[in-house]
Coordinates of all heavy atoms in Angstrom, one line a residue:
M4 N 32.2 -2.3 2.4 CA 31.1 -1.6 3.1 C 30.7 -0.3 2.4 O 31.5 0.7 2.3 CB 31.4 -1.3 4.5 CG 31.6 -2.5 5.4 SD 30.0 -3.4 5.4 CE 30.5 -5.1 6.0
A5 N 29.5 -0.2 1.8 CA 29.2 0.9 1.0 C 27.9 1.4 1.6 O 27.0 2.0 0.8 CB 29.0 0.6 -0.5
Q6 N 27.7 1.2 2.8 CA 26.4 1.7 3.5 C 26.4 3.1 3.7 O 27.4 3.7 4.1 CB 26.1 0.9 4.7 CG 25.7 -0.6 4.3 CD 25.6 -1.5 5.6 OE1 26.1 -1.0 6.7 NE2 25.2 -2.7 5.4
T7 N 25.3 3.8 3.5 CA 25.2 5.2 3.8 C 24.2 5.3 5.1 O 23.4 4.7 5.2 CB 24.5 5.9 2.7 OG1 25.2 5.7 1.5 CG2 24.4 7.4 3.0
L8 N 24.8 6.2 6.0 CA 23.9 6.3 7.1 C 22.7 7.3 6.8 O 23.0 8.5 6.5 CB 24.8 6.9 8.2 CG 24.2 7.2 9.7 CD1 23.8 5.9 10.2 CD2 25.1 8.0 10.5
L9 N 21.5 6.7 6.8 CA 20.4 7.5 6.5 C 19.7 8.1 7.7 O 19.2 9.1 7.7 CB 19.4 6.5 5.8 CG 19.9 6.1 4.4 CD1 19.0 5.2 3.7 CD2 20.3 7.3 3.4
A10 N 19.7 7.4 8.8 CA 19.0 7.8 10.1 C 20.0 7.8 11.2 O 20.8 7.0 11.3 CB 17.8 6.9 10.4
S11 N 19.9 8.9 12.0 CA 20.6 8.8 13.2 C 19.9 8.2 14.2 O 18.7 8.3 14.5 CB 20.9 10.4 13.6 OG 19.6 11.0 13.9
T12 N 20.7 7.4 14.9 CA 20.2 6.5 16.0 C 20.9 6.7 17.2 O 22.0 7.4 17.3 CB 20.2 5.1 15.7 OG1 21.5 4.6 15.4 CG2 19.4 4.9 14.3
Y13 N 20.6 6.0 18.3 CA 21.5 6.1 19.4 C 22.7 5.4 19.3 O 23.8 5.5 20.0 CB 20.7 5.5 20.7 CG 20.2 4.1 20.5 CD1 21.0 3.0 20.7 CD2 18.9 3.9 20.1 CE1 20.6 1.7 20.5 CE2 18.5 2.6 19.9 CZ 19.3 1.4 20.1 OH 18.9 0.2 19.9
L14 N 22.8 4.4 18.3 CA 24.2 4.0 17.9 C 24.6 4.7 16.6 O 24.0 4.7 15.6 CB 24.1 2.3 17.5 CG 24.0 1.5 18.7 CD1 23.8 0.1 18.2 CD2 25.2 1.6 19.5
G15 N 25.7 5.5 16.7 CA 26.1 6.3 15.7 C 27.2 5.7 14.8 O 27.6 4.7 15.0
A16 N 27.6 6.6 13.8 CA 28.6 6.1 13.0 C 30.1 5.9 13.6 O 30.8 5.3 13.1 CB 28.9 7.3 11.9
L17 N 30.2 6.4 14.9 CA 31.4 6.2 15.5 C 31.4 4.9 16.4 O 32.4 4.5 16.8 CB 31.7 7.6 16.6 CG 31.9 8.8 15.9 CD1 32.1 9.9 16.9 CD2 33.2 8.7 14.9
D18 N 30.2 4.4 16.5 CA 30.1 3.0 17.1 C 30.4 2.0 16.2 O 29.8 1.8 15.1 CB 28.7 3.0 17.6 CG 28.4 3.9 18.9 OD1 29.2 4.1 19.7 OD2 27.4 4.7 18.7
R19 N 31.4 1.1 16.5 CA 31.9 0.1 15.7 C 31.8 -1.2 16.2 O 31.8 -1.5 17.4 CB 33.4 0.3 15.4 CG 33.7 1.7 14.6 CD 33.2 1.6 13.3 NE 32.9 2.8 12.7 CZ 32.6 3.0 11.4 NH1 32.3 2.0 10.7 NH2 32.1 4.2 11.0
C20 N 31.6 -2.2 15.4 CA 31.5 -3.7 15.7 C 32.8 -4.0 16.4 O 33.9 -3.8 15.8 CB 31.2 -4.5 14.5 SG 31.2 -6.2 14.8
D21 N 32.7 -4.7 17.4 CA 33.8 -5.2 18.1 C 34.5 -6.4 17.5 O 35.7 -6.7 17.7 CB 33.5 -5.8 19.5 CG 33.1 -4.5 20.5 OD1 33.8 -3.5 20.4 OD2 32.2 -4.7 21.4
R22 N 33.9 -7.0 16.5 CA 34.3 -8.1 15.8 C 35.0 -7.7 14.4 O 36.1 -8.1 14.2 CB 33.3 -9.2 15.5 CG 32.8 -9.8 16.7 CD 33.9 -10.8 17.2 NE 33.5 -11.4 18.5 CZ 34.3 -12.1 19.2 NH1 35.5 -12.5 18.8 NH2 33.9 -12.6 20.3
C23 N 34.5 -6.8 13.7 CA 34.9 -6.6 12.4 C 35.3 -5.0 12.1 O 35.8 -4.6 11.1 CB 34.0 -7.2 11.3 SG 32.5 -6.4 11.2
G24 N 34.7 -4.2 12.9 CA 34.9 -2.8 12.7 C 33.9 -2.1 12.0 O 34.0 -0.8 11.8
A25 N 32.9 -2.8 11.5 CA 31.8 -2.1 10.6 C 30.9 -1.3 11.7 O 31.1 -1.5 12.9 CB 31.1 -3.2 10.0
Q26 N 30.0 -0.6 11.2 CA 29.3 0.2 12.0 C 28.4 -0.6 12.8 O 27.7 -1.6 12.3 CB 28.4 1.2 11.1 CG 27.6 2.1 12.1 CD 26.8 3.2 11.2 OE1 27.1 3.4 10.0 NE2 25.8 3.9 11.8
A27 N 28.2 -0.3 14.0 CA 27.5 -1.1 15.0 C 26.0 -0.8 14.9 O 25.6 0.3 14.9 CB 28.0 -0.9 16.4
Y28 N 25.2 -2.0 15.0 CA 23.7 -1.7 15.0 C 23.1 -2.6 16.3 O 22.0 -2.5 16.3 CB 23.1 -2.2 13.8 CG 23.3 -1.2 12.6 CD1 24.3 -1.5 11.8 CD2 22.6 -0.1 12.5 CE1 24.5 -0.5 10.6 CE2 22.6 0.8 11.4 CZ 23.7 0.6 10.5 OH 24.0 1.4 9.6
V29 N 24.0 -3.4 16.9 CA 23.5 -4.2 18.0 C 24.4 -3.8 19.3 O 25.5 -3.9 19.1 CB 23.5 -5.6 17.6 CG1 23.1 -6.4 18.8 CG2 22.6 -5.9 16.5
R30 N 23.7 -3.5 20.4 CA 24.4 -3.2 21.6 C 24.1 -4.3 22.6 O 22.9 -4.5 22.9 CB 24.1 -1.8 22.0 CG 24.8 -1.4 23.3 CD 24.8 0.1 23.6 NE 23.3 0.4 24.1 CZ 23.0 0.5 25.4 NH1 24.1 0.4 26.3 NH2 21.9 0.8 25.9
A31 N 25.0 -5.0 23.2 CA 24.7 -6.0 24.1 C 25.3 -5.7 25.4 O 26.6 -5.3 25.4 CB 25.2 -7.3 23.7
V32 N 24.6 -5.6 26.5 CA 25.2 -5.2 27.7 C 25.4 -6.6 28.6 O 24.4 -7.3 28.7 CB 24.2 -4.4 28.5 CG1 24.8 -4.0 29.9 CG2 24.1 -3.0 27.8
L33 N 26.6 -6.8 28.9 CA 26.8 -8.0 29.6 C 27.3 -7.7 31.1 O 27.6 -6.5 31.3 CB 27.9 -8.9 28.9 CG 27.6 -9.4 27.5 CD1 28.7 -9.3 26.6 CD2 27.0 -10.7 27.5
A34 N 27.5 -8.7 31.8 CA 27.9 -8.4 33.3 C 29.2 -7.8 33.2 O 29.5 -6.9 34.0 CB 27.9 -9.7 34.1
A35 N 30.0 -8.3 32.1 CA 31.5 -7.9 32.2 C 31.6 -6.6 31.5 O 32.7 -6.0 31.5 CB 32.3 -9.0 31.6
G36 N 30.5 -6.1 30.8 CA 30.7 -4.8 30.1 C 29.8 -4.8 28.9 O 28.8 -5.5 28.8
E37 N 30.0 -4.0 28.0 CA 29.2 -3.6 26.8 C 29.9 -4.1 25.5 O 31.2 -3.8 25.4 CB 28.9 -2.2 26.7 CG 27.8 -1.9 25.7 CD 27.5 -0.3 25.8 OE1 27.0 0.1 26.8 OE2 27.8 0.4 24.9
L38 N 29.1 -4.7 24.7 CA 29.8 -5.0 23.3 C 28.8 -4.4 22.3 O 27.6 -4.5 22.4 CB 29.7 -6.6 23.2 CG 30.7 -7.3 24.0 CD1 30.5 -9.0 23.9 CD2 32.1 -7.0 23.8
L39 N 29.5 -4.2 21.2 CA 28.8 -3.6 20.0 C 28.9 -4.5 18.8 O 30.2 -5.0 18.6 CB 29.3 -2.2 19.6 CG 29.0 -1.1 20.8 CD1 29.7 0.1 20.3 CD2 27.7 -0.9 20.9
F40 N 27.9 -4.8 18.0 CA 28.1 -5.7 16.9 C 27.4 -5.0 15.6 O 26.4 -4.2 15.8 CB 27.4 -7.0 17.1 CG 28.0 -7.8 18.1 CD1 27.5 -8.0 19.4 CD2 29.3 -8.4 17.9 CE1 28.1 -8.7 20.4 CE2 29.9 -9.2 18.9 CZ 29.3 -9.4 20.1
C41 N 27.9 -5.3 14.5 CA 27.4 -4.9 13.3 C 26.0 -5.7 13.1 O 25.8 -6.6 13.8 CB 28.3 -5.0 12.1 SG 28.8 -6.7 11.7
A42 N 25.3 -5.5 12.0 CA 24.1 -6.3 11.8 C 24.5 -7.8 11.5 O 23.8 -8.7 12.1 CB 23.3 -5.7 10.6
H43 N 25.5 -8.0 10.7 CA 26.0 -9.3 10.5 C 26.3 -10.1 11.8 O 25.8 -11.2 12.0 CB 27.1 -9.1 9.5 CG 27.9 -10.6 9.3 ND1 27.3 -11.5 8.5 CD2 28.8 -11.2 9.9 CE1 28.1 -12.5 8.4 NE2 29.1 -12.4 9.3
H44 N 27.2 -9.4 12.6 CA 27.7 -10.1 13.8 C 26.6 -10.2 14.9 O 26.5 -11.1 15.7 CB 29.0 -9.6 14.3 CG 30.1 -10.1 13.4 ND1 30.8 -9.2 12.7 CD2 30.6 -11.3 13.2 CE1 31.9 -9.9 12.0 NE2 31.7 -11.1 12.3
G45 N 25.6 -9.2 14.8 CA 24.6 -9.1 15.7 C 23.7 -10.4 15.5 O 23.2 -11.1 16.5
R46 N 23.4 -10.8 14.2 CA 22.7 -11.9 13.9 C 23.6 -13.2 14.3 O 22.9 -14.2 14.8 CB 22.4 -12.0 12.4 CG 21.2 -11.2 12.1 CD 20.7 -11.5 10.7 NE 21.7 -11.3 9.7 CZ 21.8 -10.2 9.0 NH1 21.1 -9.2 9.4 NH2 22.8 -10.0 8.2
E47 N 24.8 -13.2 14.0 CA 25.6 -14.4 14.3 C 25.6 -14.7 15.7 O 25.6 -15.8 16.0 CB 27.1 -14.1 13.7 CG 28.1 -15.3 13.9 CD 29.3 -15.1 13.1 OE1 29.3 -14.3 12.1 OE2 30.3 -15.7 13.6
Y48 N 25.8 -13.8 16.6 CA 25.9 -14.0 18.0 C 24.5 -13.7 18.8 O 24.5 -13.8 20.0 CB 26.9 -13.0 18.6 CG 28.3 -13.2 18.1 CD1 28.9 -12.4 17.2 CD2 28.9 -14.4 18.7 CE1 30.1 -12.6 16.7 CE2 30.3 -14.7 18.1 CZ 30.9 -13.9 17.2 OH 32.1 -14.0 16.7
G49 N 23.5 -13.4 18.0 CA 22.1 -13.1 18.6 C 21.7 -14.1 19.5 O 21.1 -13.8 20.6
E50 N 21.7 -15.4 19.2 CA 21.2 -16.5 20.0 C 22.0 -16.6 21.3 O 21.4 -16.7 22.4 CB 21.3 -17.7 19.2 CG 20.4 -18.8 19.7 CD 20.4 -20.0 18.9 OE1 20.2 -19.8 17.6 OE2 20.6 -21.1 19.4
K51 N 23.4 -16.4 21.3 CA 24.2 -16.5 22.4 C 23.9 -15.2 23.3 O 23.9 -15.3 24.6 CB 25.7 -16.6 22.0 CG 26.7 -16.6 23.2 CD 27.9 -16.8 22.6 CE 29.0 -16.6 23.7 NZ 28.7 -17.3 25.0
L52 N 23.8 -14.2 22.6 CA 23.6 -13.0 23.4 C 22.2 -12.9 24.0 O 22.2 -12.5 25.3 CB 23.7 -11.6 22.4 CG 25.1 -11.4 22.0 CD1 25.0 -10.3 20.9 CD2 26.0 -11.0 23.0
S53 N 21.3 -13.5 23.5 CA 19.9 -13.5 24.1 C 20.0 -14.4 25.4 O 19.1 -14.2 26.2 CB 18.9 -14.0 23.1 OG 19.1 -15.3 22.8
R54 N 20.9 -15.3 25.5 CA 21.1 -16.1 26.6 C 22.0 -15.4 27.6 O 21.6 -15.4 28.8 CB 21.6 -17.4 26.4 CG 20.7 -18.4 25.8 CD 21.3 -19.9 25.8 NE 22.7 -19.9 25.2 CZ 23.0 -20.2 23.9 NH1 22.0 -20.4 23.1 NH2 24.2 -20.2 23.6
D55 N 23.0 -14.8 27.2 CA 24.0 -14.3 28.2 C 24.0 -12.9 28.5 O 24.3 -12.4 29.7 CB 25.5 -14.6 27.6 CG 25.8 -16.1 27.4 OD1 24.9 -16.9 27.9 OD2 26.7 -16.4 26.7
A56 N 23.4 -12.0 27.6 CA 23.4 -10.7 27.8 C 22.4 -10.2 28.8 O 21.3 -10.8 28.9 CB 23.4 -9.9 26.5
L57 N 22.6 -9.2 29.5 CA 21.7 -8.6 30.4 C 20.5 -7.8 29.6 O 19.3 -7.8 29.9 CB 22.3 -7.6 31.5 CG 23.4 -8.2 32.2 CD1 24.1 -7.1 33.1 CD2 22.9 -9.3 33.1
L58 N 21.1 -7.3 28.5 CA 20.2 -6.4 27.7 C 20.9 -6.4 26.3 O 22.0 -6.3 26.1 CB 20.2 -5.0 28.3 CG 19.5 -3.9 27.3 CD1 18.0 -4.1 27.3 CD2 19.8 -2.5 27.7
V59 N 19.8 -6.6 25.3 CA 20.3 -6.6 23.9 C 19.4 -5.5 23.2 O 18.2 -5.6 23.3 CB 20.2 -7.9 23.1 CG1 20.6 -7.8 21.8 CG2 21.0 -8.8 23.8
E60 N 20.0 -4.6 22.6 CA 19.3 -3.6 21.8 C 19.7 -3.8 20.3 O 20.9 -3.6 19.9 CB 19.6 -2.1 22.2 CG 19.2 -1.9 23.6 CD 19.4 -0.5 24.1 OE1 20.4 0.1 23.7 OE2 18.6 0.1 24.8
D61 N 18.8 -4.3 19.5 CA 19.0 -4.6 18.3 C 18.4 -3.4 17.3 O 17.2 -3.3 17.2 CB 18.4 -5.8 17.8 CG 18.7 -6.3 16.3 OD1 19.1 -5.4 15.7 OD2 18.4 -7.4 16.0
N62 N 19.3 -2.6 16.7 CA 18.9 -1.6 16.0 C 19.1 -1.8 14.4 O 18.9 -0.9 13.7 CB 19.8 -0.3 16.4 CG 19.1 0.9 16.1 OD1 17.9 1.1 16.4 ND2 19.8 2.0 15.8
S63 N 19.3 -3.1 14.1 CA 19.4 -3.3 12.7 C 18.3 -3.2 11.9 O 18.3 -3.3 10.7 CB 20.1 -4.9 12.6 OG 19.3 -5.8 13.2
S64 N 17.1 -3.1 12.5 CA 15.9 -2.8 11.7 C 15.9 -1.7 10.9 O 15.2 -1.7 9.9 CB 14.7 -2.9 12.6 OG 14.7 -1.9 13.6
V65 N 16.7 -0.8 11.2 CA 16.8 0.4 10.4 C 17.4 0.1 9.0 O 17.1 0.7 8.0 CB 17.7 1.5 11.0 CG1 17.0 1.9 12.2 CG2 19.0 1.2 11.2
L66 N 18.2 -1.0 9.0 CA 18.8 -1.4 7.7 C 17.8 -2.1 6.9 O 17.6 -1.7 5.6 CB 19.8 -2.4 7.9 CG 21.1 -1.9 8.5 CD1 22.1 -3.1 8.8 CD2 21.7 -0.8 7.8
R67 N 17.0 -2.9 7.5 CA 15.8 -3.6 6.7 C 14.9 -2.6 6.2 O 14.4 -2.7 5.0 CB 15.3 -4.7 7.5 CG 16.2 -5.9 7.8 CD 15.5 -7.0 8.5 NE 15.1 -6.7 9.8 CZ 15.9 -7.0 10.8 NH1 17.2 -7.5 10.7 NH2 15.6 -6.7 12.1
S68 N 14.3 -1.7 7.0 CA 13.3 -0.8 6.6 C 13.7 0.3 5.6 O 13.0 0.6 4.9 CB 12.8 -0.2 8.0 OG 13.8 0.6 8.5
S69 N 15.0 0.4 5.7 CA 15.5 1.4 4.7 C 15.8 0.8 3.3 O 15.8 1.5 2.3 CB 16.8 2.1 5.2 OG 17.7 1.3 5.3
S70 N 16.1 -0.5 3.3 CA 16.4 -1.1 2.0 C 15.1 -1.7 1.3 O 15.0 -1.6 0.1 CB 17.3 -2.3 2.2 OG 16.7 -3.4 2.7
G71 N 14.4 -2.3 2.0 CA 13.0 -2.7 1.6 C 13.1 -4.0 0.6 O 12.2 -4.5 0.2
S72 N 14.4 -4.5 0.5 CA 14.5 -5.7 -0.3 C 15.3 -6.7 0.3 O 15.9 -7.6 -0.3 CB 15.3 -5.4 -1.5 OG 16.5 -4.7 -1.3
A73 N 15.3 -6.8 1.8 CA 16.0 -7.7 2.5 C 15.2 -8.9 3.0 O 15.6 -9.7 3.6 CB 16.7 -7.0 3.7
A74 N 14.0 -9.0 2.6 CA 13.1 -10.1 3.0 C 13.8 -11.5 2.5 O 14.1 -11.6 1.2 CB 11.7 -9.9 2.5
A75 N 13.8 -12.4 3.3 CA 14.4 -13.6 3.1 C 13.5 -14.6 2.1 O 12.4 -14.7 2.5 CB 14.9 -14.4 4.2
Ligands
ZN127 ZN1 30.9 -7.3 12.6

């Protein structure tokens, strides 16, 4: 992981993915509590989260907009 934090967001450098420990960019609020995911795992679980979570805040667009070369 060699990402540099360029923009401060509501998910900060201290917020970590619950799966892999990378910096979190996706916050999912479930009935049982709150989960944080990195951009990778946010995508991996995004479909499930969109069904199960009460609220999903995807902040990973800051990665795409700052790199400019992530278009698939
Ligand atoms: Zn992760």
Side-chain angles (χ1 to χ4, degrees):
M4 289 300 157
Q6 291 171 350
T7 304
L8 182 66
L9 296 176
S11 65
T12 64
Y13 55 85
L14 286 173
L17 295 178
D18 294 307
R19 294 287 156 181
C20 175
D21 287 326
R22 289 292 173 184
C23 70
Q26 186 175 341
Y28 286 96
V29 177
R30 184 168 73 98
V32 180
L33 300 142
E37 188 176 292
L38 291 174
L39 298 177
F40 294 108
C41 66
H43 172 82
H44 284 114
R46 277 195 300 275
E47 185 171 328
Y48 294 106
E50 201 172 309
K51 178 173 168 54
L52 289 174
S53 67
R54 284 197 307 267
D55 296 348
L57 305 175
L58 173 70
V59 178
E60 290 181 327
D61 185 346
N62 209 34
S63 61
S64 60
V65 298
L66 293 177
R67 289 190 287 273
S68 62
S69 62
S70 72
S72 60

